[in-house]
Amino acid sequence: MDEILDGLPQKAKEKHAENKKFFNKLKQRPPKDLDYVMQGLHEAEFERTDCLTCANCCKTTGPLFTNADVERIAKHFRMKPSQFIDTYLRVDEENDYVLQSVPCTFLGADNYCSIYEVRPKACREFPHTDRKKFQQISNLTLKNVAICPAAFNIVEEMKKRIKF
């Protein structure tokens, strides 16, 4: 897995212009069955991919924490939300709650998440490749292909399946 992760940013960079062009076309003319296609590609990829062998998302980026996430996780720790925020989060330049640092505080050495059952919505949905109206998150996907090998593979397969 380390070998794959080491080469991923470069592979994503090499494909960036091609992917950007593809996503621009996708935004202009999304196929009627796009959500169905993406669901299938997502499911097929995650039958082959074990996130526990990677956890690159948790090691290199931090999720946004919604107010609902803060409430839920604080309750899990038996903390007040303000105490949870002070201990683990900061406000970023876009006024969102994010982790104070990466890798994620809640990631164990075994790549298991210590708050998996109550993890933030952004973590539950990552890499967002099965999201409805997928064409609307192309900028996010362009970032995620450099972080997540599964997202990279899904986009590559998507370009083979959807022709313009």
Side-chain angles (χ1 to χ4, degrees):
M1 181 54 71
D2 288 341
E3 192 176 301
I4 292 169
L5 290 176
D6 288 344
L8 189 62
Q10 183 60 37
K11 283 171 65 176
K13 190 176 181 181
E14 290 166 6
K15 297 279 187 177
H16 184 79
E18 177 185 313
N19 289 345
K20 195 171 172 109
K21 187 176 175 182
F22 177 83
F23 282 124
N24 284 339
K25 289 180 182 176
L26 190 67
K27 272 185 189 173
Q28 291 170 358
R29 295 186 325 182
K32 285 185 172 51
D33 64 345
L34 180 62
D35 290 345
Y36 177 78
V37 169
M38 292 311 299
Q39 188 70 43
L41 292 174
H42 179 90
E43 287 172 8
E45 181 60 34
F46 283 99
E47 284 176 16
R48 294 186 297 271
T49 300
D50 177 9
C51 293
L52 292 173
T53 63
C54 180
N56 198 43
C57 52
C58 307
K59 293 172 184 172
T60 63
T61 62
L64 299 180
F65 285 73
T66 65
N67 289 331
D69 293 331
V70 170
E71 295 277 337
R72 184 178 60 257
I73 300 166
K75 184 177 176 183
H76 171 78
F77 284 121
R78 295 185 173 89
M79 299 170 96
K80 288 185 162 74
S82 60
Q83 186 183 5
F84 176 79
I85 291 166
D86 291 344
T87 305
Y88 297 105
L89 306 180
R90 66 179 175 82
V91 176
D92 71 2
E93 52 283 343
E94 294 165 7
N95 249 7
D96 293 315
Y97 286 121
V98 296
L99 290 169
Q100 289 177 2
S101 63
V102 290
C104 180
T105 310
F106 307 111
L107 180 68
D110 57 0
N111 287 346
Y112 277 85
C113 174
S114 64
I115 60 166
Y116 189 79
E117 296 303 320
V118 294
R119 69 194 184 280
K121 180 177 187 266
C123 298
R124 285 194 308 272
E125 294 179 354
F126 191 85
H128 312 284
T129 47
D130 61 346
R131 187 187 260 181
K132 300 266 189 258
K133 297 185 181 170
F134 179 78
Q135 73 277 10
Q136 295 177 349
I137 60 161
S138 57
N139 288 342
L140 178 62
T141 303
L142 286 169
K143 290 177 187 169
N144 290 345
V145 296
I147 297 165
C148 176
F152 183 90
N153 293 341
I154 289 166
V155 169
E156 289 305 299
E157 189 59 35
M158 180 182 159
K159 289 186 300 189
K160 292 175 191 170
R161 297 250 187 115
I162 299 172
K163 299 293 181 196
F164 293 103

